[in-house]
């Protein structure tokens, strides 16, 4: 068979890229994916998962996700809705069937394994297909997203351990051996936070929960990432405060102190200094819930788990019988090195605005369709790696800023971003009236500190 673009992966990145490419070109697109349905890792996620950030920032550019509602109850009360896992899965099926396949220019091969060099094989029939690719291959699997239900733990789990991924929590009522008396959450990322919030919301006593937390995290305050004019004083003012912090910080620790002081960053325990930031986004309501868990084990990473004992880098922890160990240790995104997005006949979508993979993929597709040479394209789409350490955070912020500056200098690209539903901020800023002195002052503050922030962030980046 023949196609113009072969996209490997039907997750959020692959679908967002395909959607914009379909809009901007007359190309034929072929999508290959191992899952039986579109949506990538959402097919394997736990049933109570939700987005970290508002639904308005996720999905594909041409089709809204959610109803732009403000949550009236729960730990996200007062903020824009967060689509649930089932909502996201249904949305991506709708994108595939009503948008991509309905165009007549997209071919989709689920349950297929890509072998490389334009060849893929059906996992069910074993039939191999060779594709003549007229233009480019798009590797939409570079993030290597993993979830607890599909990954293999990096520690030893001895026989007899009651050890489950958090996917199993809503099914505890089915257990023949009865309900656990104690819960041990293994992992401190957003998955671990979700497990803790689910247990507490479902009636678990905080004293029956232990949380193995190898490292505490700085967390993004969701109130500072809201779309729409109604949240201008939180979101855009928060960005201005962030620029000021980046411009004035004397070192990385001082930078995070300043970001916490202006409400951009949160932490669960005010007495423990976080040592990592991976862009997990939470509300103050979530933080309040998580702080109810007092038995937090900070002894490093897990080496092994037996039925009544956990061995960690910094010691051991003993537990009684009827203890359920909950696996939340999957690395959501592998620490892959940043590479050029455009590499001749290969495109490798990555974060070009962190932490927004869908927007990044859509913009990369727009640039592919509207610009000629790889040097120009990569100049507009510099990859921004997820920071592995706090010291790498200034590089991530500066990467975002440099890309944003490049986009702002290109009128055509700037206009596309402003109209993109995945952007969320361009229209808000453009809608501010010059007579609105208070909001104009916020924009002035942002511009005042932007260049000093870029200069200071360069100084805060450690030598390679």
């Amino acid at each position: 068979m023949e196609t113009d673009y072969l996209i490997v992966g039907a997750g959020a990145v692959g679908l967002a890229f395909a959607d914009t490419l379909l809009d901007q070109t007359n190309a034929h697109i072929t999508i290959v994916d191992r899952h039986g349905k579109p949506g990538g890792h959402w097919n394997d996620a736990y049933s109570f998962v939700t987005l970290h950030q508002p639904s308005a920032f996720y999905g594909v550019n041409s089709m809204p996700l959610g109803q732009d509602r403000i949550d009236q109850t729960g730990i996200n009360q007062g903020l824009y809705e967060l689509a649930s896992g089932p909502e996201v899965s249904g949305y991506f099926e709708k994108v595939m069937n009503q948008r991509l396949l309905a165009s007549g220019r997209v071919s989709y091969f689920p349950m297929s394994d890509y072998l490389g060099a334009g060849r893929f094989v059906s996992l069910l029939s074993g039939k191999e297909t060779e594709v003549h690719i007229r233009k480019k291959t798009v590797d939409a699997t570079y993030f290597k997203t993993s979830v607890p239900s599909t990954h293999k733990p990096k520690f030893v789990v001895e026989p007899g351990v009651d050890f489950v991924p958090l996917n199993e929590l809503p099914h505890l009522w089915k257990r023949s051996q009865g309900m656990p008396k104690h819960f041990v959450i293994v992992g401190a990322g957003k998955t671990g936070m979700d497990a803790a919030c689910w247990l507490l919301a479902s009636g678990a006593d905080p004293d029956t929960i232990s949380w193995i937390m190898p490292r505490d995290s700085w967390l993004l305050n969701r109130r500072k990432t809201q779309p729409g004019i109604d949240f201008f004083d939180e979101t855009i003012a928060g960005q201005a405060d962030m620029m000021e912090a980046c411009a004035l910080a004397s070192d990385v620790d001082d930078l995070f102190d300043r970001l916490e002081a202006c409400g951009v960053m949160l932490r669960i325990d005010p007495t423990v200094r976080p040592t990592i930031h991976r862009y997990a986004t939470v509300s103050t309501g979530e933080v309040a819930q998580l702080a109810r868990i007092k038995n937090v084990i900070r002894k490093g990473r897990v080496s092994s788990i037996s039925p009544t004992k956990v061995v960690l880098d910094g010691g051991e922890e003993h537990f009684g019988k009827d203890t359920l160990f909950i696996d939340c240790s999957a690395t959501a995104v592998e620490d892959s090195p940043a590479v050029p997005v455009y590499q001749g006949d290969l495109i490798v979508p990555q974060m070009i605005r962190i932490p927004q993979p869908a927007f990044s993929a859509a913009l990369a597709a727009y640039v592919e369709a509207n610009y000629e040479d790889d040097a120009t394209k990569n100049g507009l789409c510099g990859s921004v790696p997820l920071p592995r350490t706090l010291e790498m955070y200034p590089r991530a912020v500066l990467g975002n800023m440099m890309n944003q500056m490049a986009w702002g200098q290109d009128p055509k690209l700037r206009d596309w971003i402003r109209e993109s539903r995945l952007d969320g901020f361009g229209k808000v800023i453009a809608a501010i009236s010059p007579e609105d002195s208070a909001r104009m002052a916020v924009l002035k503050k942002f511009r005042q500190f932007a260049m000093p922030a870029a200069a200071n962030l360069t100084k805060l980046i450690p030598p390679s």
Side-chain angles (χ1 to χ4, degrees):
M1 59 176 294
E2 293 189 0
T3 194
D4 291 310
Y5 289 88
L6 176 64
I7 298 178
V8 183
V13 170
L15 297 180
F17 192 97
D19 172 76
T20 298
L21 195 66
L22 195 67
D23 185 53
Q24 294 293 317
T25 73
N26 294 317
H28 182 273
I29 303 166
T30 297
I31 303 174
V32 177
D33 191 85
R34 291 175 177 171
H35 286 93
K37 297 192 303 181
H41 74 278
W42 290 99
N43 289 292
D44 309 309
Y46 42 103
S47 61
F48 53 92
V49 68
T50 68
L51 293 172
H52 295 211
Q53 295 193 2
S55 301
F57 297 139
Y58 200 70
V60 305
N61 200 41
S62 69
M63 189 176 292
L65 172 59
Q67 304 297 320
D68 282 339
R69 290 189 300 260
I70 300 292
D71 283 339
Q72 301 300 315
T73 61
I75 55 178
N76 193 56
Q77 184 176 0
L79 305 178
Y80 273 99
E81 64 181 314
L82 309 173
S84 68
E87 284 180 288
V88 174
S89 294
Y91 168 83
F92 281 134
E93 279 199 279
K94 184 178 177 181
V95 167
M96 178 61 76
N97 294 320
Q98 299 182 18
R99 163 66 172 159
L100 301 183
L101 295 179
S103 72
R105 291 194 282 124
V106 174
S107 299
Y108 170 48
F109 294 89
M111 296 297 291
S112 296
D113 198 8
Y114 185 63
L115 303 175
R119 296 180 301 116
F120 65 89
V121 60
S122 168
L123 296 174
L124 297 182
S125 69
K127 178 184 176 182
E128 187 173 313
T129 301
E130 184 172 351
V131 185
H132 172 61
I133 304 168
R134 291 187 288 260
K135 292 187 177 180
K136 298 183 181 182
T137 301
V138 181
D139 180 8
T141 68
Y142 193 71
F143 291 138
K144 298 180 177 63
T145 304
S146 66
V147 295
S149 65
T150 60
H151 89 125
K152 182 179 180 180
K154 297 179 181 179
F155 46 82
V156 175
V157 181
E158 296 183 5
V161 176
D162 198 357
F163 182 83
V164 300
L166 76 165
N167 301 57
E168 296 300 316
L169 290 179
H171 308 295
L172 291 178
W173 63 274
K174 298 179 182 179
R175 289 163 57 95
S176 59
Q177 66 268 49
M179 201 62 66
K181 294 181 180 178
H182 198 87
F183 304 92
V184 180
I185 300 170
V186 183
K190 191 61 172 66
T191 306
M193 298 176 206
D194 286 352
C197 286
W198 186 91
L199 287 169
L200 293 168
S202 299
D205 187 326
D207 293 338
T208 66
I209 303 171
S210 296
W211 193 357
I212 295 176
M213 190 176 292
R215 296 176 293 183
D216 284 67
S217 295
W218 287 108
L219 307 169
L220 275 177
N221 184 349
R222 190 176 296 126
R223 181 165 284 277
K224 301 292 184 175
T225 64
Q226 297 293 297
I229 193 67
D230 291 342
F231 284 91
F232 180 95
D233 294 335
E234 286 87 357
T235 299
I236 307 303
Q239 289 295 305
D241 290 339
M242 182 177 177
M243 287 298 101
E244 181 180 17
C246 289
L248 301 179
S250 58
D251 55 33
V252 173
D253 284 341
D254 184 40
L255 173 57
F256 278 92
D257 286 341
R258 289 174 180 270
L259 293 174
E260 182 182 32
C262 67
V264 171
M265 291 286 176
L266 304 171
R267 53 175 149 173
I268 298 170
D269 188 337
T271 69
V272 178
R273 187 166 190 87
T275 59
I276 191 172
H277 172 59
R278 305 280 286 184
Y279 283 91
T281 307
V282 299
S283 67
T284 53
E286 282 174 89
V287 170
Q289 278 288 86
L290 296 170
R292 296 173 61 200
I293 300 174
K294 303 303 182 183
N295 187 21
V296 180
I297 300 164
R298 295 182 172 92
K299 294 183 179 180
R301 295 184 180 277
V302 174
S303 298
S304 65
I305 301 178
S306 68
T308 58
K309 182 177 72 174
V310 177
V311 178
L312 305 106
D313 294 340
E316 299 180 353
E317 287 288 324
H318 294 265
F319 300 95
K321 294 180 180 180
D322 299 321
T323 295
L324 178 68
F325 295 90
I326 304 165
D327 183 20
C328 301
S329 65
T331 301
V333 179
E334 294 291 335
D335 291 325
S336 302
V339 299
V341 172
Y342 305 94
Q343 306 176 29
D345 59 1
L346 175 67
I347 301 175
V348 186
Q350 294 156 80
M351 294 279 195
I352 53 180
R353 178 194 278 169
I354 198 169
Q356 291 185 299
F359 171 84
S360 296
L363 191 144
Y366 179 86
V367 169
E368 163 63 17
N370 289 280
Y371 297 81
E372 293 297 327
D373 61 279
D374 281 3
T376 300
K377 294 174 185 177
N378 283 319
L380 292 169
C381 297
S383 57
V384 184
L386 191 70
R388 295 187 296 274
T389 64
L390 294 185
E391 287 70 28
M392 291 182 65
Y393 177 70
R395 186 186 302 275
V397 177
L398 184 61
N400 272 0
M401 293 180 66
M402 297 303 290
N403 281 341
Q404 193 72 41
M405 279 190 251
W407 304 337
Q409 293 170 7
D410 186 306
K412 184 169 67 172
L413 184 55
R414 184 177 64 231
D415 289 345
W416 181 85
I417 292 172
R418 183 176 296 171
E419 295 304 316
S420 170
R421 84 158 191 91
L422 297 172
D423 172 58
F425 304 122
K427 285 184 179 179
V428 171
I429 293 173
I432 300 305
S433 168
E435 283 74 40
D436 189 337
S437 58
R439 287 173 172 168
M440 290 300 295
V442 170
L443 297 180
K444 181 180 178 181
K445 176 181 177 180
F446 181 93
R447 298 183 183 110
Q448 173 190 349
F449 283 107
M451 293 308 294
N456 195 45
L457 287 167
T458 302
K459 298 175 185 177
L460 298 181
I461 295 173
S464 301

